[in-house]
């Protein structure tokens, strides 16, 4: 059993490293991607999920909240009752911003004193946070003007916004993007290698030879996936090291947790690669299949466009996307220092998804062997 | 148990197409069984069913005493199989290929070295062990493929056109290997297109359009099925000559640069053929009775089928 898996792995590594096209895919692509994404692009922002912590409970505070909602940029996700919820909602990524209106807000306005509003942002996604922050500023300034009536200029100064980004305080987009690059590189490389390696054997005829040996389907699957999992881990470390030393990305969370989560993530990725190999006849088809899956997986992961901006039906679709969960996990670990208490829902979902995909692929794989 | 391979009414269909049609045959232990037939006759399909690569549509069979439908995993431990397509890893070295298959077949550690040296010697690759398999000539590759398929010393081996595309000298060497293994008790089930190779087999089966139309030892086949005489004709424009003779209902086929005509009575046939070809203004250089070869037998059998 172990001997056969070992032999499969040795053979696979021999083949990968002898193939001149493979070396750049494994070593160069991740770093190039990292550099491109490290100096990344801005994204449009709307429907930023907002929690309202209204301690004033006045006509004025409700009016300000209403203006946030009416702007179209924010969507009120919930109202907060207790102060610890602020931290919690931001931590879990449930909301991107919290509008906090302290007691005395309306009284201050009525007295003509400087009234204060706080807007807290999750700064992990610096682009979104920056843009949302300027929207919040505009809304609050607009409200201040409306209060002032004819005395616009005088009253504009009466409202002070204290926007503050938690996590990633410098709002650097590369901090946000580097973990994303790790996630997509692992996916691309492992999908491609797994699906191609299996199909290549079918194409050249060695699969037929393997099928008349005592090699069992499970041994074949393990022998075919473990080498690519190892390469996946290698690329994760490669990108992490470049990210930390070149882009000075901090890692707030635990490295062992990152390794564990990567392993869970690889389960789905390798499962999908295997699945693609069972539906492709040629290496070309396998490559097509990989990109047909990969492109939407990136678009629907929250990497570039926030999931909450997507149509509801598409949002449900994203639950089947392993990248969606892993992005939350890897960003959480890198930028927020999140641990299992916060990340467990994503980890569990990812594990269930991976186990399901792996099982389906393995069953299909077995069928093709008879 | 002296029967190594036994099949009864074995059938395989692909959609409406019957690739193997109610075939019955058995192969004795230690025998070299040649499985012959033109392209698309169903040779590979039959072998794949015997090796557990394809499920039969109906019928039954056993290999080494194991049922081909229910015990394909046991069969896989008992057989060596060399597929029609080249089945080694081109991008691995000679040694890496041997080590890989040795591990997959579960060759015991203490035997591994010996078996490897044996394959290297048999394929005459002792000095090229670290060469990429891709760089080897065709005949050597085939021998290495055979070596890798029998690393675990299986009692039964299936070879699907092992010598196709290999030069005559290498083919001869290859058959020497098969002989050697047969002497040592290995049962060999081999398909081929080459009639000269058929003569090397202990027994033959001829398959045509999925049906087994004859089986027996080469000498038996010649005696049983070749009651008629064969004339060898050397003439100009042999293709035209063949057409003319066929138009006169004389069974004719091209063999190399000459024609073979098959008739009930060869002595009467000689003047007849001379006349026919003379009328068609085709010059006959020579004509005479010859001992029928297996190829003549098969041409006749196929035309009758
Ligand atoms: N998977 C398949 N699906 C459909 N038809 C098939 C399949 N495999 C084989 N056939 C058909 O069955 C017939 C027998 O094929 P087979 O490969 O057994 O022939 P063969 O005797 O080995 O011929 P060759 O000398 O060309 O190797 C052929 O007509 C082939 O087209
Ligand atoms: Mg064939």
């Amino acid at each position: 059993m172990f001997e056969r898996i070992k032999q499969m792995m040795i053979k696979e590594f021999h083949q990968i490293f002898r193939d001149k096209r493979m070396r750049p895919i494994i070593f160069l692509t991740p770093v190039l991607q990292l550099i491109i994404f490290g100096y990344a692009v801005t994204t449009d922002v709307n429907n930023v999920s907002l929690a309202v912590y209204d301690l004033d409970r006045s006509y004025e505070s409700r009016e300000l909240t209403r203006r946030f909602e009416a702007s179209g940029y924010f969507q009120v996700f919930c109202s907060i009752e207790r102060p610890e919820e602020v931290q919690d909602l931001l931590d879990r990524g449930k909301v991107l911003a919290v509008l906090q209106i302290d007691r005395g807000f309306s009284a201050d306005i009525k007295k003509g004193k400087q009234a204060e509003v706080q807007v807290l942002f999750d700064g992990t996604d610096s682009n979104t946070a920056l843009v949302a922050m300027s929207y919040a500023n505009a809304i609050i300034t607009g409200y201040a003007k409306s209060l002032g009536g004819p005395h616009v200029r005088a009253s504009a100064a009466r409202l002070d916004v204290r926007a503050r980004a938690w996590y990633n305080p410098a709002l650097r987009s590369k901090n946000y993007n580097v973990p994303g690059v790790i996630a997509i590189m692992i996916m691309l490389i492992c999908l491609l290698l797994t699906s191609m390696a299996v199909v290549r054997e079918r194409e050249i005829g060695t699969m037929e030879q393997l099928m008349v040996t005592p090699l069992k389907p499970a041994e074949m699957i393990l022998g075919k996936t473990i080498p690519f999992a190892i390469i996946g881990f290698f690329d994760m470390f490669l990108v992490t090291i470049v990210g930390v030393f070149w882009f000075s990305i901090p890692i707030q969370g635990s490295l062992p947790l990152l390794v564990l989560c990567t392993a869970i993530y690889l389960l789905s990725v390798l499962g999908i690669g295997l699945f693609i190999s069972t539906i492709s006849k040629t290496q070309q088809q396998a490559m097509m299949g990989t990109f047909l899956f990969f492109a939407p997986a990136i678009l629907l992961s929250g990497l570039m466009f926030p999931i909450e901006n997507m149509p509801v039906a598409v949002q449900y679709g994203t639950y089947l996307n392993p990248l969606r969960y892993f992005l939350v996990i890897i960003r959480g670990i890198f930028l927020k220092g999140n641990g299992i208490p916060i990340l467990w829902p994503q980890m569990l979902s990812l594990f269930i998804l991976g186990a399901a995909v792996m099982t389906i692929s393995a069953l299909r794989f077995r069928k093709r062997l008879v | 148990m002296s029967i190594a391979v036994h099949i009864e009414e074995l059938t395989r269909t692909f959609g409406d197409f019957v690739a193997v049609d109610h075939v019955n045959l058995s192969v004795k232990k230690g025998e070299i069984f040649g499985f012959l037939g033109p392209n698309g006759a169903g040779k590979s399909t039959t072998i794949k069913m015997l090796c557990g690569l394809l499920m039969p549509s109906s019928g039954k069979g056993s290999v080494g005493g194991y049922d081909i439908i229910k015990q394909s995993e046991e069969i896989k431990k008992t057989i060596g199989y060399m597929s029609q397509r080249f089945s080694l890893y081109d991008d691995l070295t000679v040694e890496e290929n041997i080590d890989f298959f040795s591990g997959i077949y579960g060759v015991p550690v203490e035997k591994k070295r010996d078996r490897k040296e044996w394959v290297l010697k048999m394929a005459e690759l002792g000095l090229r062990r670290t060469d990429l398999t891709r760089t080897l000539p065709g005949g050597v590759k085939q021998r290495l493929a055979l070596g890798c398929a029998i690393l675990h010393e299986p009692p039964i081996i299936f070879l699907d056109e092992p010598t196709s595309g290999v030069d005559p000298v290498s083919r001869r060497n290859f058959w020497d290997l098969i002989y050697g293994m047969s002497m040592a008790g290995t049962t060999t089930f081999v398909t081929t297109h080459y009639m000269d190779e058929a003569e090397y087999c202990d027994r033959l089966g001829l398959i045509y359009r999925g049906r087994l139309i004859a089986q027996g030892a080469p000498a038996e086949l010649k005696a049983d099925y070749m009651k008629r005489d064969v004339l060898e004709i050397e003439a100009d424009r042999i293709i035209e000559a063949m057409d003319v003779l066929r138009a006169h209902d004389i069974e004719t086929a091209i063999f190399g640069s000459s024609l073979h005509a098959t008739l009930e009575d060869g002595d009467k046939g000689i003047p007849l053929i001379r006349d026919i070809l003379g009328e068609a203004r085709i010059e006959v250089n020579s004509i005479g009775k010859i001992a029928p070869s297996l190829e003549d037998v098969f041409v006749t059998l196929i035309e009758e089928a």
Side-chain angles (χ1 to χ4, degrees), chain A residues 170-293:
Chain A
L171 288 173
R172 302 194 317 157
S173 63
K174 54 192 168 192
N175 286 14
Y176 184 65
N177 280 320
V178 168
V181 173
I182 296 179
I184 62 172
M185 282 327 295
I186 292 179
M187 177 175 265
L188 180 61
I189 289 173
C190 291
L191 273 184
L192 208 57
L193 292 182
T194 315
S195 61
M196 301 271 283
V198 177
V199 175
R200 186 178 56 216
E201 296 228 18
R202 201 173 295 136
E203 235 181 6
I204 58 178
T206 44
M207 188 62 92
E208 198 178 300
Q209 195 66 39
L210 291 182
M211 281 193 266
V212 289
T213 67
L215 191 68
K216 293 187 183 62
E219 295 164 348
M220 169 117 73
I221 290 173
L222 288 172
K224 276 279 172 200
T225 49
I226 296 173
F228 306 124
I230 293 173
I231 290 175
F233 277 113
F234 169 81
D235 276 331
M236 180 201 80
F237 284 115
L238 180 68
V239 177
T240 304
I241 288 166
V242 177
V244 169
F245 291 101
W246 177 266
F247 289 106
S248 321
I249 313 294
I251 306 181
Q252 309 286 0
S254 124
L255 208 55
L257 182 65
L258 181 61
V259 173
L260 173 68
C261 293
T262 306
I264 302 176
Y265 176 54
L266 279 171
L267 194 64
S268 328
V269 174
L270 296 170
I272 293 166
L274 218 49
F275 185 83
I276 293 173
S277 79
T278 65
I279 55 171
S280 324
K281 285 209 172 63
T282 61
Q283 292 188 64
Q284 195 123 22
Q285 284 177 4
M287 201 182 279
M288 287 271 289
T290 299
F291 284 106
L292 277 179
F293 173 83

Side-chain angles (χ1 to χ4, degrees), chain B residues 96-166:
Chain B
E96 284 164 358
N97 264 305
I98 298 174
D99 290 340
F100 172 70
F101 283 104
S102 188
I104 296 293
Y105 281 119
V107 174
V109 186
E110 64 275 11
K111 271 193 155 183
K112 269 191 179 154
R113 264 189 64 87
D114 283 354
R115 293 302 291 161
K116 180 156 126 185
E117 294 310 318
W118 179 83
V119 171
L120 288 172
K121 188 159 166 277
M122 162 205 129
E124 290 164 19
L125 279 168
L127 298 173
R128 302 188 67 172
R129 54 179 78 208
T130 53
D131 284 13
L132 282 187
T133 308
R134 184 188 299 138
T135 62
L136 303 175
V140 180
K141 269 191 196 173
Q142 289 302 89
R143 269 190 294 176
L144 180 61
L146 175 66
C148 287
I150 56 176
L151 273 163
H152 54 309
E153 301 176 85
I156 305 173
I157 55 181
F158 291 91
L159 309 175
D160 196 356
E161 292 187 26
T163 55
S164 63
V166 171

Side-chain angles (χ1 to χ4, degrees), chain A residues 11-290:
Chain A
K11 185 213 81 182
E12 219 59 55
F13 275 118
H14 275 309
Q15 290 184 308
I16 295 167
F17 290 112
R18 201 156 284 154
D19 189 343
K20 288 193 189 65
R21 294 168 305 172
M22 281 302 167
R23 277 174 250 166
I25 292 184
I26 295 168
F27 297 103
L28 213 59
T29 330
V31 178
L32 275 180
Q33 288 283 335
L34 183 61
I35 287 168
I36 292 165
F37 273 87
Y39 303 108
V41 278
T42 37
T43 41
D44 277 339
V45 177
N46 49 53
N47 283 330
V48 172
S49 54
L50 177 81
V52 178
Y53 189 26
D54 187 355
L55 293 158
D56 195 46
R57 298 174 187 282
S58 60
Y59 168 76
E60 282 79 1
S61 67
R62 279 193 300 276
E63 170 64 11
L64 182 59
T65 309
R66 200 194 56 74
R67 280 177 177 248
F68 265 85
E69 261 182 298
S71 71
Y73 299 123
F74 293 89
Q75 197 160 41
V76 175
F77 178 76
C78 63
S79 296
I80 291 174
E81 304 297 337
R82 287 166 296 117
E84 58 273 23
E85 283 179 79
V86 175
Q87 170 95 46
D88 192 62
L89 285 168
L90 285 171
D91 256 348
R92 286 175 194 278
K94 290 275 184 213
V95 296
L96 275 173
V98 176
L99 171 64
Q100 181 173 338
I101 306 170
D102 286 314
R103 195 160 302 150
F105 174 73
S106 58
D108 284 345
I109 289 177
K110 282 177 192 140
K111 285 189 212 141
K113 271 172 65 181
Q114 173 107 339
E116 258 189 27
V117 189
Q118 274 202 77
V119 190
L120 303 165
F121 289 94
D122 175 353
T124 21
D125 180 351
S126 54
N127 292 320
T128 313
L130 268 181
V131 179
M133 219 185 255
S134 66
Y135 289 154
N137 261 317
I139 293 165
I140 294 166
T141 316
Y143 178 55
K145 280 181 188 168
S146 78
L147 285 177
H151 318 286
V152 180
R153 257 185 301 155
S155 52
R158 291 196 309 182
L159 220 58
D160 183 25
V161 197
R162 290 203 0 239
R164 201 152 64 80
W166 287 7
Y167 326 116
N168 190 11
L171 288 173
R172 302 194 317 157
S173 63
K174 54 192 168 192
N175 286 14
Y176 184 65
N177 280 320
V178 168
V181 173
I182 296 179
I184 62 172
M185 282 327 295
I186 292 179
M187 177 175 265
L188 180 61
I189 289 173
C190 291
L191 273 184
L192 208 57
L193 292 182
T194 315
S195 61
M196 301 271 283
V198 177
V199 175
R200 186 178 56 216
E201 296 228 18
R202 201 173 295 136
E203 235 181 6
I204 58 178
T206 44
M207 188 62 92
E208 198 178 300
Q209 195 66 39
L210 291 182
M211 281 193 266
V212 289
T213 67
L215 191 68
K216 293 187 183 62
E219 295 164 348
M220 169 117 73
I221 290 173
L222 288 172
K224 276 279 172 200
T225 49
I226 296 173
F228 306 124
I230 293 173
I231 290 175
F233 277 113
F234 169 81
D235 276 331
M236 180 201 80
F237 284 115
L238 180 68
V239 177
T240 304
I241 288 166
V242 177
V244 169
F245 291 101
W246 177 266
F247 289 106
S248 321
I249 313 294
I251 306 181
Q252 309 286 0
S254 124
L255 208 55
L257 182 65
L258 181 61
V259 173
L260 173 68
C261 293
T262 306
I264 302 176
Y265 176 54
L266 279 171
L267 194 64
S268 328
V269 174
L270 296 170
I272 293 166
L274 218 49
F275 185 83
I276 293 173
S277 79
T278 65
I279 55 171
S280 324
K281 285 209 172 63
T282 61
Q283 292 188 64
Q284 195 123 22
Q285 284 177 4
M287 201 182 279
M288 287 271 289
T290 299

